[in-house]
């Protein structure tokens, strides 16, 4: 059953708060219930200061020694004081929390929750949370959700809303009894409740298992449907060989690698076969997939058809567009391309739609705006999706309505072992670009602690002085709440670097919350070399190509999955110069260093993904998402690969026994899938 009521129907959510939820993509009750915590917090029994482990969250019962002293500076209010646990004393600091003034007075006792630092036998706590005994007793003995947040929306507000939404939540079981029993799954309704409010880690693991199962199960069923759908369809856009692609290959400043030539031949064969192409081109970052896309587009337009190329971000779409425009000029190619993104003004959009419909333009590059309903193509022969976007049944249906059975090429840099690729991409033919252009020096890596920063800044300065450019990556956009405390953010880091690095070095920032026009301005300036150091979030993760950038420094590297770090690193090492990647490990945990050092050992995406999996124990189940590129909500194809394989067999068996889901025991499943049709595959990124 779907809960499509607007979130404003929940008590306590007015228009203004709803606006904040919208920023997180939450519009309906269903969205809210599916907005899973990114982590959980437990409140353990209070301990003594001397028992605290550096860097871990603990709770200490403390009596205030002397009333706190409060000082106002130009930008903040600072409160400092001392407290004691009976044996040891601790110095405590609060920033911008003047309302604690009345509480932190001589003789009062509280439970302080936070990290304890010890230096030279002295103890320190910054910004600990404060609880009375009653408050703390209520928190103990349960896990509390930590949600990804947006400025202005507190964790508490999301938690309350989720709690309210769960009060009236109903969900009938749709899975057949035998499957539930075989896998030992808890009811979906229970799983949804427990994923938000688990009693303990065991309950959480059960909840997660059910939700992961459902994601895989639904995904695989729709994949199988796709497979039926794609089966050897005759295309409406049969092509013949033209001389253009071969000529372009000869004129390129480099020679195609063996792998590129092989894959290009596979694509050519598909396009000229008379059947619809459904091909996935997989290749590690930097293996040179873009040129394969351009060759395919060239073949398409010289056969008199249109081609479309879809990218996950406006930045990447813009880059592809500009690259195609410059190639068109340089080699005098018959492309007439247009860029279509969500940020175009209404008037400009209408004009572009018109050009597409009339056939005036033959290549459309953009974000997913380019297959939206209003866009009508004159004769769309080929659709390419670069990085991330999968092409779902729905999109295919939309395209068919737009005029015919089109060729589809999917390009991905996500490293997936072949066994999994066959399950996940069962509906596509697979090509692998398993060779890098020669003459590239492998990236040199180092994994270091935060104390290395100054050395890194010196190194960055030298590199910029010798003409190179630099990326600095931070996990957060702006200073957040206490949940994300200690994580570097782009806005502050940009300011910091501007003041630390020599004046003549131009530092700018880039993140997903900026206006598209600003992003474009910054990206262009970086591309042209006017910006030397770009401080950015992972928005630059996919596809960006600036060969002159030779240094990447990643702050809080421990917060990213190894596969994702590998993707990020793929932004450098693209030119002839030696490149360097500096991973700053902000965690004191030993395992974190060990995990990151895998990146030191290898530049091979497959190897890295597998190693990461081996290194992660059950305790790491929730913290780190393996790859930002794979947007299963909760499932992780690496971590849950065994379950994925098993579910795949179950789905095969189910559809073999009852292909149309006609039997009584599958009635609920059939209804459920129909009700949710299109939810699962569409734009599911893999
Ligand atoms: P990805 O596979 O990550 O999308 P790109 O297509 O962006 O990689 O290619 C990365 C860079 O390598 C580009 O600057 C491109 O021009 C260059 N390149 C592609 N193929 C070759 C080749 N065979 N030899 C040398 N450089 C190449
Ligand atoms: Mg690419």
């Amino acid at each position: 059953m779907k809960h499509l009521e607007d979130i404003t129907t929940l008590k306590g959510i007015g228009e203004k708060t709803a606006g904040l939820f919208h920023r997180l993509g939450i519009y309906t009750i269903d969205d809210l219930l599916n907005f899973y915590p990114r982590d959980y917090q437990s409140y353990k029994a209070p301990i003594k200061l001397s028992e605290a482990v550096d860097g871990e969250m603990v709770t200490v019962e403390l009596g205030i020694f002397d009333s706190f002293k409060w000082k106002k500076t130009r930008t903040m209010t600072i409160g400092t004081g001392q407290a004691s646990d009976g044996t040891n004393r601790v110095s405590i600091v609060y920033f911008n929390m003047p309302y604690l003034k009345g509480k932190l007075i001589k003789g009062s006792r509280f439970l302080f929750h936070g990290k304890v630092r010890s230096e030279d036998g002295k103890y320190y706590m910054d910004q600990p949370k404060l609880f009375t005994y009653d408050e703390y007793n209520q928190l103990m003995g349960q896990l509390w959700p930590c949600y990804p947040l947006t400025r202005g929306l507190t964790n508490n507000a999301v938690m309350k809303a989720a709690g309210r939404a769960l009060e009236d939540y109903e969900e009938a079981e749709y899975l057949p009894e035998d499957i539930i029993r075989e896998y030992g799954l808890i009811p979906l309704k229970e799983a949804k409740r427990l994923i938000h409010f688990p009693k303990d880690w065991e309950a959480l693991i059960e909840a997660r298992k059910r939700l992961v199962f459902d994601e895989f199960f639904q995904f695989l069923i729709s994949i199988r449907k796709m497979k039926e759908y794609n089966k050897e369809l005759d295309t409406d856009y049969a092509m013949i060989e033209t001389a253009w692609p071969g000529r372009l290959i000869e004129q390129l400043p480099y020679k195609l690698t063996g792998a590129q030539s092989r894959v290009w031949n596979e694509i050519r064969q598909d396009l000229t076969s008379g059947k619809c192409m459904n091909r996935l081109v997989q290749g590690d970052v930097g293996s040179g997939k873009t040129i394969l896309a351009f060759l395919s587009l060239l073949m398409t337009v010289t056969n008199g058809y249109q081609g479309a190329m879809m990218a996950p971000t406006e930045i990447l779409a813009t880059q592809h567009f500009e690259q195609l425009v410059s190639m068109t000029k340089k080699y005098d190619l018959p492309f007439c391309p247009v860029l279509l993104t969500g940020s175009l003004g209404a008037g400009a959009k209408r004009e572009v739609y018109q050009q597409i419909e009339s056939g005036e333009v033959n290549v459309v590059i953009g974000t997913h705006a380019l297959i939206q309903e209003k866009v009508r193509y004159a004769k769309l022969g080929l659709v390419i999706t670069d990085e991330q976007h999968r092409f779902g049944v729905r999109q295919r249906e939309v395209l068919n309505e737009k005029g015919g059975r089109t060729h589809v090429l999917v390009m991905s840099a996500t490293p997936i072992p072949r066994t999994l690729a066959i399950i996940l991409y069962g509906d596509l033919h697979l090509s692998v670009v398993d060779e890098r252009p020669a003459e590239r020096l492998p990236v040199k890596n180092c994994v270091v602690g935060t104390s290395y920063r100054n050395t890194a800044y010196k190194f960055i300065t030298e590199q910029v002085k010798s003409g190179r450019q630099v990326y600095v990556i931070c996990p957060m956009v702006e200073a957040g709440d206490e949940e994300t405390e200690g994580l570097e953010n782009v806005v502050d880091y940009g300011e910091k670097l501007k003041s630390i690095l020599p004046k003549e070095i131009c530092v700018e920032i880039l993140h997903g919350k900026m206006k598209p026009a600003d992003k474009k301005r910054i990206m262009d300036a970086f591309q042209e070399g006017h910006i030397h150091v770009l401080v950015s979030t992972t928005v630059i993760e996919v596809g960006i190509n600036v060969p002159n950038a030779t240094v990447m420094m990643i702050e809080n590297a421990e917060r990213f999955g190894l596969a994702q770090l590998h993707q990020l690193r793929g932004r450098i090492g693209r030119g002839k110069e030696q490149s360097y990647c500096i991973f700053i490990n902000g965690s004191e945990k030993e395992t974190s260093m060990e995990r990151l050092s895998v990146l030191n050992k290898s530049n091979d995406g497959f190897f890295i993904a597998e190693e990461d999996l081996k290194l992660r124990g059950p305790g790491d189940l929730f913290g780190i998402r393996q790859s930002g590129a794979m947007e299963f909500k909760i499932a992780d194809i690496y971590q849950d690969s065994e379950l994925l394989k098993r579910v795949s067999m179950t789905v095969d068996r189910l559809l073999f026994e009852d292909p149309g889901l006609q039997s009584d025991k599958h009635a609920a499943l059939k209804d459920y899938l129909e009700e949710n049709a299109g939810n699962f595959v569409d734009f599911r990124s893999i």
Side-chain angles (χ1 to χ4, degrees):
M1 187 175 139
K2 283 202 167 188
H3 294 264
L4 297 176
E5 308 88 331
D6 200 278
I7 42 167
T8 48
T9 57
L10 290 176
K11 215 175 96 201
I13 300 190
E15 285 304 319
K16 194 162 153 254
T17 315
L20 296 171
F21 276 97
H22 293 172
R23 277 168 55 184
L24 296 168
I26 302 169
Y27 294 84
T28 65
I29 301 280
D30 232 25
D31 295 338
L32 179 60
L33 290 171
N34 290 328
F35 187 69
Y36 302 144
R38 63 167 169 71
D39 205 351
Y40 300 83
Q41 189 173 14
S42 62
Y43 292 91
K44 299 200 186 84
I47 57 169
K48 292 286 182 193
L49 284 165
S50 58
E51 296 168 299
V53 176
D54 252 9
E56 265 176 34
M57 299 294 279
V58 295
T59 306
V60 197
E61 183 194 336
L62 297 169
I64 312 271
F65 232 76
D66 247 327
S67 296
F68 271 50
K69 299 206 169 45
W70 297 85
K71 194 167 67 189
K72 249 194 164 138
T73 71
R74 198 165 50 83
T75 50
M76 59 172 113
T77 313
I78 303 174
T80 50
Q82 295 233 329
S84 161
D85 68 355
T87 316
N88 288 298
R89 276 200 202 186
V90 53
S91 302
I92 301 175
V93 184
Y94 282 104
F95 303 103
N96 288 338
M97 301 180 94
Y99 45 88
L100 289 180
K101 228 180 230 180
K103 283 188 169 180
L104 297 171
I105 49 174
K106 183 170 182 168
S108 54
R109 296 187 78 77
F110 292 101
L111 291 146
F112 290 80
H113 178 80
K115 289 181 188 169
V116 175
R117 244 178 325 120
S118 70
E119 271 167 38
D120 305 329
K122 287 192 184 136
Y123 295 101
Y124 301 88
M125 288 182 98
D126 296 346
Q127 299 279 80
K129 271 194 196 168
L130 202 67
F131 299 102
T132 63
Y133 288 91
D134 282 351
E135 283 167 346
Y136 200 76
N137 277 333
Q138 281 190 0
L139 291 175
M140 274 203 300
Q142 201 186 321
L143 292 172
W144 296 92
C146 306
Y147 296 95
L149 298 171
T150 182
R151 180 170 275 189
L153 191 63
T154 63
N155 197 54
N156 220 359
V158 182
M159 199 163 83
K160 274 210 181 110
R164 294 231 167 86
L166 282 164
E167 280 169 17
D168 295 323
Y169 166 64
E170 282 305 327
E171 185 82 67
E173 188 54 70
Y174 72 95
L175 285 177
E177 209 18 71
D178 50 344
I179 291 187
I180 299 228
R181 225 174 311 118
E182 182 188 337
Y183 285 83
L185 299 172
I186 63 171
L188 186 53
K189 179 178 168 183
E190 186 67 2
K192 283 272 169 71
R193 194 176 63 75
L194 288 175
I195 203 74
H196 290 280
F197 301 103
K199 297 193 288 290
D200 49 32
W201 291 100
E202 279 84 57
L204 185 54
I205 285 169
E206 286 306 312
R208 184 179 182 280
K209 178 173 157 195
R210 166 73 209 229
L211 298 174
V212 170
F213 179 92
D214 281 39
E215 270 199 303
F216 282 156
F217 184 77
Q218 292 165 7
F219 173 76
L220 289 170
I221 284 208
S222 34
I223 280 280
R224 298 298 190 272
K225 258 177 36 197
M226 282 274 269
K227 196 168 185 175
E228 289 297 299
Y229 203 94
N230 289 345
K231 224 188 225 160
E232 307 280 288
L233 278 180
D234 286 335
T235 177
D236 295 328
Y237 301 95
M239 299 188 196
I240 52 163
E241 297 275 356
T242 69
W244 288 91
R247 228 163 26 217
L248 175 59
I249 290 171
E250 272 170 28
Q251 286 175 288
L252 287 173
Y254 51 79
K255 197 168 165 307
L256 291 188
T257 63
Q260 281 172 317
S261 303
R262 190 186 68 235
V263 174
W264 168 235
N265 280 333
E266 288 166 352
I267 294 172
R268 270 167 52 198
Q269 271 165 23
D270 284 353
L271 292 176
T272 53
S273 71
K275 307 282 181 197
C276 279
M277 170 166 76
N278 282 293
R279 186 165 290 279
L280 165 71
V281 172
Q282 211 185 52
D284 211 347
V285 282
S287 58
K289 295 182 294 295
T290 316
I291 186 64
L292 296 174
F294 288 178
L295 288 168
S296 312
L297 289 171
L298 189 54
M299 178 106 155
T300 304
V301 305
T302 50
N303 269 278
Y305 307 131
Q306 289 170 309
M309 183 164 175
M310 198 152 57
T313 63
E314 292 205 1
I315 295 180
L316 188 54
T318 308
Q319 180 188 284
H320 283 328
F321 176 74
E322 285 167 358
Q323 217 177 326
L324 191 75
V325 168
S326 94
M327 269 199 169
T328 303
K329 279 199 201 113
K330 188 165 170 199
Y331 303 113
D332 203 14
L333 303 174
F335 283 127
C336 186
V338 72
L339 180 67
L340 177 59
T341 61
S343 65
L344 276 188
K349 234 180 228 167
R350 229 171 301 130
E351 195 177 320
V352 171
Y353 291 160
Q354 207 279 323
Q355 291 171 323
I356 297 172
E357 188 163 359
S358 69
E360 206 176 311
V361 297
N362 57 17
V363 174
V364 187
I365 295 184
T367 49
H368 61 266
L370 61 77
I371 59 146
Q372 268 159 15
E373 273 155 47
K374 286 195 192 123
V375 192
R376 291 187 197 295
Y377 288 83
K379 47 202 168 169
L380 182 60
L382 169 68
V383 175
I384 302 173
T385 67
D386 185 24
E387 309 279 5
Q388 277 208 337
H389 285 333
R390 243 189 104 83
F391 212 64
V393 175
R394 261 268 204 66
Q395 278 71 43
R396 196 177 294 276
E397 279 165 358
V398 171
L399 280 180
N400 282 355
E401 282 157 24
K402 287 183 195 299
R405 289 183 288 226
T406 302
H407 298 289
V408 174
L409 185 64
V410 177
M411 303 201 300
S412 167
T414 307
I416 302 176
R418 200 165 182 101
T419 46
L420 294 187
I422 288 166
I423 294 174
L424 291 165
Y425 294 110
D427 54 323
L428 301 172
H429 296 278
L430 184 64
S431 293
V432 185
V433 193
D434 50 6
E435 194 179 337
R436 279 162 182 278
E439 92 206 23
R440 296 257 180 83
L441 299 165
V443 173
K444 287 193 175 157
N445 306 290
C446 68
V447 182
V448 290
T450 49
S451 60
Y452 184 81
R453 274 197 196 115
N454 285 332
T455 316
Y457 298 151
K458 275 193 209 114
F459 181 70
I460 286 171
T461 307
E462 280 164 26
Q463 285 279 310
V464 172
K465 287 198 170 145
S466 61
R468 306 281 87 75
Q469 288 165 281
V470 178
Y471 296 105
V472 177
I473 310 295
C474 299
M476 311 300 296
V477 171
E478 56 202 359
D481 49 66
E482 69 241 47
E483 306 294 342
T484 54
E485 188 198 298
L487 296 183
E488 298 297 334
N489 73 79
V490 168
V491 174
D492 292 339
Y493 210 97
E495 287 307 312
K496 181 172 109 177
L497 279 189
K498 276 180 197 169
S499 68
I500 290 180
L501 298 179
K503 284 226 166 38
E504 58 277 18
I505 294 186
C506 174
V507 180
E508 283 294 344
I509 65 169
L510 181 72
H511 57 75
K513 288 187 185 167
M514 285 163 55
K515 289 203 192 88
D518 291 335
K519 277 194 249 181
K520 180 170 169 7
R521 185 172 50 75
I522 297 285
M523 235 14 252
D524 285 349
F526 190 65
Q527 202 106 39
E528 285 159 24
H530 304 315
I531 293 172
H532 305 117
V533 178
L534 186 63
V535 183
S536 166
T537 53
T538 54
V539 293
I540 63 122
E541 177 183 346
V542 282
I544 298 302
N545 189 32
V546 180
N548 189 45
T550 55
V551 182
M552 176 173 282
M553 173 170 174
I554 305 176
E555 286 285 355
N556 296 114
E558 77 280 0
R559 296 285 297 196
F560 300 98
L562 293 188
Q564 198 182 2
L565 289 171
H566 178 65
Q567 287 280 323
L568 278 167
R569 174 169 66 183
R571 297 310 111 221
I572 55 172
R574 299 186 148 242
K576 289 197 186 67
E577 311 289 338
Q578 175 65 54
S579 286
Y580 305 87
C581 195
I582 306 165
F583 300 95
I584 304 279
N585 175 15
S587 158
E588 279 132 45
K589 284 195 197 143
E590 230 169 76
T591 48
S592 153
M593 204 67 175
E594 187 188 346
R595 202 172 67 89
L596 290 173
S597 69
V598 171
L599 293 160
N600 239 338
K601 281 187 243 158
S602 172
N603 275 320
D604 173 355
F606 286 80
F607 173 80
I608 287 167
E610 275 173 10
E611 282 301 297
D612 196 9
L613 194 59
K614 279 188 216 152
L615 284 173
R616 288 192 296 155
D620 303 325
L621 270 175
F622 297 93
I624 301 167
R625 293 295 310 246
Q626 174 53 248
S627 165
M630 269 169 277
E631 290 183 355
F632 279 111
K633 260 200 173 56
I634 190 162
D636 181 312
I637 61 158
Y638 297 104
Q639 186 176 298
D640 304 309
S641 62
E642 289 310 314
L643 185 63
L644 175 60
K645 287 178 198 163
R646 210 173 139 203
V647 177
S648 166
M649 285 191 280
T650 301
V651 167
D652 282 343
R653 191 186 65 211
L654 178 81
L655 292 179
F656 176 77
E657 286 169 0
D658 185 10
L661 302 178
Q662 306 292 351
S663 73
D664 281 352
K665 72 172 186 171
H666 295 146
L669 173 60
K670 188 164 195 248
D671 288 347
Y672 186 88
L673 293 175
E674 268 162 21
E675 192 185 342
N676 291 286
N679 274 4
F680 309 126
V681 181
D682 293 8
F683 290 105
R684 172 66 41 99
S685 39
I686 293 233

